[in-house]
Amino acid sequence: MLIWLKAFLLIAASISFALGITLPLMRFESFYVFSTDASLIEVVASLWDGGDGVLAVLVALVSIVFPLAKILLVAAEEIADSHLAQPHSLARLLPVLSKWSMMDVLLVAIVIFATKTSGLAQAFAQPGLWFYAGSSLAVVALSAIGRSGGIQKT
């Protein structure tokens, strides 16, 4: 039963991550006429095209590469033999990536709050934000289940 839960969480995390980076994260409306919404990939591309290459690379690393690496590491850890005598190098990388798990969701929430309180525009969460957060939570749950139980071999 535990293996099916892990498989479900891994698939859900992967699909949610893909949707989270491609669907719009938030919508900004100003003066009730103009509206803008962008996905995470569009934000990175816009930063790159706007001449902010360092910021674009930083956002891409923290928002796309690190979460993708975490999903892949958790999957590799679940596939690898859990009864090895010494921890793999994969197990040492996971806590480093875990520290960045929900940072993007928090930053988007702060931007939405700041926009709403400024009075210049309205900001609304879009489905991409919820899928992105769901992916992060699914990976956290998968990591927690993996640490506590492991796959029981028969």
Side-chain angles (χ1 to χ4, degrees):
M1 182 70 170
L2 187 61
I3 195 165
W4 290 107
L5 177 61
K6 289 180 180 183
F8 172 76
L9 286 172
L10 184 59
I11 291 169
S14 302
I15 292 171
S16 294
F17 178 74
L19 291 172
I21 65 172
T22 56
L23 291 175
L25 291 175
M26 62 184 132
R27 172 185 296 267
F28 294 105
E29 293 181 359
S30 56
F31 305 116
Y32 301 103
V33 178
F34 304 107
S35 68
T36 305
D37 52 348
S39 68
L40 195 50
I41 291 177
E42 290 171 344
V43 168
V44 171
S46 175
L47 287 170
W48 185 266
D49 291 341
D52 293 319
V54 174
L55 188 57
V57 169
L58 182 66
V59 170
L61 276 174
V62 174
S63 304
I64 299 171
V65 175
F66 287 175
L68 180 61
K70 186 174 179 187
I71 291 171
L72 294 174
L73 283 173
V74 168
E77 191 175 53
E78 290 301 321
I79 291 170
D81 188 10
S82 61
H83 297 298
L84 291 176
Q86 57 197 35
H88 343 51
S89 58
L90 297 177
R92 286 180 257 150
L93 284 174
L94 211 49
V96 174
L97 292 173
S98 294
K99 293 180 176 150
W100 300 96
S101 290
M102 293 293 285
M103 186 183 79
D104 294 330
V105 177
L106 177 65
L107 288 176
V108 170
I110 290 170
V111 168
I112 290 173
F113 175 76
T115 303
K116 283 186 173 189
T117 57
S118 72
L120 297 176
Q122 291 289 322
F124 304 97
Q126 294 293 302
L129 178 65
W130 301 114
F131 280 113
Y132 193 86
S135 171
S136 295
L137 293 174
V139 172
V140 166
L142 186 60
S143 296
I145 291 170
R147 280 192 309 269
S148 67
I151 297 174
Q152 302 296 325
K153 297 201 176 205
T154 56

